[in-house]
Amino acid sequence: MTWTVLHIIAYAISGAFVALQAKYSFIGIFVLGLTTSYGGSIIRNIVLDILVSNIWERQTLLVVLVTLTTILFVKRNWIHHWNRLGYFFDSIGLASFGIQGGLLAQSLHHDLGIIILAYMFTGVGGGMIRDLLAGRTPQALREEIHAVF
């Protein structure tokens, strides 16, 4: 549970701050936060042929919603800190989320190629969806080291 909450919160914060940078409304903050948090899991579950509904846990979703609600109260002039903190939260989410996806594929006895795909799609999927919704080139496509992390 702790591992899952760590990456989901990190990606929720990442999506919320991108929405704040883009001057999105509170709905935009929730949409980008949730898609960043759960987008990689959705892609992973489709690749691994697992029910997408398996990713929703009430406790985890509640923590994400509380985190996103808290971010609504962040002053807009604090957004410039995102440039420094963005890579930090993205890296936490990428590493922990990617590992979780790879371990899930391994537990289902997939071969190494599928494990690597599950790792990659789980790690960068949510961030890529976030960037596309924000009208940006996905970070994983701009900075090679980020996707290799």
Side-chain angles (χ1 to χ4, degrees), residues 1-9 34 37-38 41-42 44-45 50-66 97 100 104:
M1 175 72 172
T2 306
W3 193 251
T4 302
V5 172
L6 173 70
H7 75 260
I8 288 178
I9 289 175
L34 288 170
S37 295
Y38 292 102
S41 292
I42 292 170
R44 177 202 63 217
N45 284 12
I50 301 172
L51 288 175
V52 173
S53 62
N54 290 349
I55 65 172
W56 308 111
E57 294 178 4
R58 287 183 184 174
Q59 294 171 335
T60 306
L61 189 57
L62 179 63
V63 169
V64 169
L65 293 174
V66 167
F97 212 16
Q100 182 197 30
L104 178 63

Side-chain angles (χ1 to χ4, degrees), residues 81-90:
H81 293 295
W82 173 247
N83 293 332
R84 288 185 288 150
L85 295 175
Y87 284 118
F88 174 73
F89 286 112
D90 271 353

Side-chain angles (χ1 to χ4, degrees), residues 12 15-16 19 24-37 64-72:
Y24 284 6
S25 69
F26 73 96
I27 297 292
I29 292 169
F30 280 92
V31 167
L32 283 187
L34 288 170
T35 55
T36 307
S37 295
V64 169
L65 293 174
V66 167
T67 302
L68 293 172
T69 302
T70 303
I71 290 174
L72 287 174

Side-chain angles (χ1 to χ4, degrees), residues 14-16 22 24 33 55 61 63 67 74 79 85-86 90 99 103 111-112 120-121 123-124 129 131 140 142 144-145:
S14 169
Y24 284 6
I55 65 172
L61 189 57
V63 169
T67 302
V74 170
I79 304 233
L85 295 175
D90 271 353
I99 289 169
L103 290 173
D111 62 9
L112 182 61
M120 185 181 70
F121 283 131
V124 300
I129 295 169
D131 289 342
R142 285 185 286 136
E144 293 82 10
I145 193 68

